Each structure stands twice: as C-alpha cells, then as structure tokens.
Amino acid sequence: MADTALMSIPGLVDPVPAARDITPRADGRVDLIGLPRPRIRELFEEAGLDAKQAKLRAKQVFHWLYHRGVTDFDAMTDIAKTMRPWLAERFVIGRPQVVEAQHSTDGTRKWLLRTDDGHDFEMVFIPDEARGTLCVSSQVGCTLNCSFCHTGTMKLVRNLTPGEIVGQVMLARDALGEWPKGSMAGGEDEDDEAGHYTADGRLLTNIVMMGMGEPLYNFDHVRDALTLVMDGDGLALSKRRITLSTSGVIPMMERCGAEIGVNLAVSLHGVRKDVRDELVPLNKKYGIEQLLQACADYPGASNARRITFEYVMIKDKNDSDEDARELVRLLKAYNLPAKVNLIPFNPWPGAGYECSTPERIRRFSDIVFEGGISAPVRTPRGRDIDAACGQLKTAAEKKSRAQRDREAAEAAAAPAAAG
C-alpha cells in the first residue's frame, strides 16, 4: 500500500510548494537520480568525504549517472574499486519501478511506473517517422479536473520529485538502448564527440511534459529535472526539443520561459468562457484573455518558436465554424506566434463527450488555416492501450496485482506454447 496521503488541495489553486526533492527509501540509502552535481557533492561530504574528494567523486558519478546511464557503481571504472562498495552502501542509482509495460499496435509504448513510496503514474513513448516523443508525467494524479480528460478524474496524490521526473527519461533510454558511448578519461586521442548525445539517428528525440499532472503546479521539481535533461554534460537534449504543456497557470508561465526556456504548449480547448469553464475549470480563476496575454509575454516566443495551442475536438461543444473563427480572432488580437494542434477527442468510459466527426474536424482546420494559422490534426496514437491524449489514468485503478501477474504469466507462456 502507498504510504503517502492524498494532498488536501482544492481544484483551483496556486502553485503547490514542494520541498521534498528525494523520496525516502526503506533501506535508508539515498537515490542519486534527479540530483545535480552540487547536491551530490554535498551528500558525499555529509557521508564523510573531504571537500576535495567529494567534488571529484561528484563529477565522476554525475557523468556516469546522466551521460552513460549506468545503474551500478561497479560499472564506474574510473572510480577506485575500494570506493565503489562505500558508494553502494550509502547510495543507490534508481529508476522508477516498472509495474506494467504495454505496446500499442501502432508502436506506441506505455509504462505504468511506481515510486519508492508506492504510488503509480504513467509515461508514454510515441514513435514517428521523423521523431520519437516521450510524454512525461509531473504529478501522481492531477488537481485540475478538466472534464474531458481521464487523468483529471484522479485525485492529486503528490508531486513527483526531480528524480522521478528525470527517471522517466532515463528509463526510456534504458528501454530503447540509447545511452551515448564514450569515456571521461580525457586522453588526447579520445574523440570528444564520442559521448555526445544528438537526436540524429535516435529513437528518442523529443520530450513533452504532457503526462499526468499540471507541470507548473510542480514548477521547482520540473525545472530541476529538465535542467538535468538539458545539461550538456548529462542527458544533453536541446531545450528546443522539449515542450511543456500547461492548462494556464498564469503566475508561473513567465518563470517557465525565463528559468527553463523550453517550448510552451497551452491546453486551450475552448474560445468561449462558458465552454472553457466547463472543459478546463482553471479558466474560472485565470480567464482566456489573461491566458493569451501571458502567452504574448512568454519569454522567447517568436515565429521560429511558436506557442502551440492544444484544442481537443468535441462534438457539438467547441467544434463549430464560429468557434474556429473566434479562435483565429483571439490569436490574432494578441499577435501570437501560434500554431493550433487539433486533437480528436479520445473516448474513455463515462466521459460524457463524443469526438467531432472527421468532416467537422477538417472544416474547423480549414477555417483556421485560411485565417493564416497552422492547424494540423493530430493523429490519435495508442488508443488501444489508453495511451492517447487525455486517456492517461493509472492502470492500477483498473487492474488488481493478481490480474497483472496472471497476464504476465500468460504472456511469458505464450511463446513456449507456440513452439
């Protein structure tokens, strides 16, 4: 059983403070994943190393953790053999526990993950011809209660730590076999680029903070995790390949642009107050006009780095010609460098909404395009494993542990039976 109580937070709140950066482990060891070099050095000093040695070991360990992706101190070959047991006794190189991994018929992969204190969350990998996108969660559950979103029907349990956020990226690289090769020995003959991670030829090229939770309600931890992802000596993924999606937590949007600097996506979904109030209740606190002004003020937004507006297409709710024209009017009124992602509504049990017809979606898209704004229709992915946009909700709520064990046993037995 999970041992953390639900966060007692109402639906419309300001950003949640989150002081805990490490989830305590039952064995007393400290998980180093999610920690920057200064914090690792600090922990090494507290454990008994002198300042000079702690600084050196922190640099070495940081490299092995984030650049090479090792999960065992014995693999850190430039650290003395006598030192490695000392590290293993006090620290651990963690990954989120994989409870279940699913593959969609279209290649999408979804993982049900578990924290050290027993809470479940999900991440999704979406392969495409030109890119591979990892959809990362920032919270266990969600507090926003968006009516069209399955994740929004969950209660917010707690914020994920930096380690639990960056750990999703590292787990995906483990699964895809995409850790850079190279050494930190620094010899003159060493190829400096041998260990540099680039998106060329890689399966995982992009990250979107669009999984479970509202990233800007866990700002500090999301910022710290993405800083590690973008660190040139660590995971080294460009900020231009990272997109953070928000439902419109306006007080944190400027800080997001200034302190993280990644691409911004906004869950809009409605252009009339009554409709957006229903679909995205946060609109009652921060209205459409305030939201669009915050987008206009977003640091770094330009025609080269447009803000993406996500718009789920719901039959007879937000999909009329008038809605499309109002969307164009609003974006132009604020002179926004924008593109609109039209997302066919992904059904889930008890949703109470239907997806707009393909013809209606095309008509909506045409009107926005004719208004001079790009409005591609997103192809639904992973629907058969509930991994599509708006469908993420912890599978543990639907399946018992015994049921998952039976399914795993049946899957393992299937190849043998076929042979």
Side-chain angles (χ1 to χ4, degrees), residues 251-277:
M252 305 304 293
M253 287 173 61
E254 184 176 1
R255 283 189 66 191
C256 177
E259 297 181 31
I260 307 178
V262 295
N263 301 316
L264 182 70
V266 174
S267 295
L268 190 61
H269 309 307
V271 292
R272 300 192 308 272
K273 175 174 169 51
D274 59 332
V275 172
R276 193 165 192 267
D277 281 354

Side-chain angles (χ1 to χ4, degrees), residues 322-369:
E322 291 74 18
D323 288 321
R325 294 189 185 100
E326 177 64 4
L327 175 58
V328 171
R329 187 194 72 78
L330 283 169
L331 297 182
K332 289 195 167 184
Y334 287 86
N335 196 29
L336 288 167
K339 77 169 185 177
V340 178
N341 266 353
L342 300 179
I343 307 167
F345 173 68
N346 293 304
W348 45 272
Y353 297 113
E354 294 180 42
C355 183
S356 305
T357 66
E359 295 76 20
R360 179 96 295 271
I361 296 174
R362 279 196 296 271
R363 173 62 181 157
F364 194 102
S365 175
D366 288 345
I367 292 173
V368 180
F369 266 116

Side-chain angles (χ1 to χ4, degrees), residues 399-414:
K399 296 183 181 182
S400 67
R401 177 68 63 85
Q403 182 182 353
R404 287 197 298 273
D405 289 346
R406 283 196 303 273
E407 290 177 357
E410 289 169 1

Side-chain angles (χ1 to χ4, degrees), residues 235-314:
L235 292 166
L237 198 65
S238 167
K239 66 182 179 181
R240 296 184 181 276
R241 292 186 173 272
I242 302 172
T243 299
L244 183 146
S245 176
T246 179
S247 292
V249 184
I250 289 173
M252 305 304 293
M253 287 173 61
E254 184 176 1
R255 283 189 66 191
C256 177
E259 297 181 31
I260 307 178
V262 295
N263 301 316
L264 182 70
V266 174
S267 295
L268 190 61
H269 309 307
V271 292
R272 300 192 308 272
K273 175 174 169 51
D274 59 332
V275 172
R276 193 165 192 267
D277 281 354
E278 174 188 334
L279 297 177
V280 187
L282 188 64
N283 195 67
K284 299 172 185 176
K285 186 175 183 68
Y286 305 119
I288 296 174
E289 290 78 12
Q290 290 176 275
L291 174 58
L292 294 179
Q293 185 59 55
C295 291
D297 296 337
Y298 188 73
S302 66
N303 287 328
R305 297 188 66 193
R306 293 175 294 173
I307 293 174
T308 298
F309 290 89
E310 298 160 318
Y311 198 97
V312 65
M313 298 297 296
I314 300 175

Side-chain angles (χ1 to χ4, degrees), residues 131-132 177-181 194 196-205:
R131 67 177 62 189
E178 292 203 329
W179 285 104
K181 301 298 186 282
H196 181 65
Y197 185 94
T198 69
D200 297 338
R202 301 284 182 179
L203 293 174
L204 199 170
T205 64

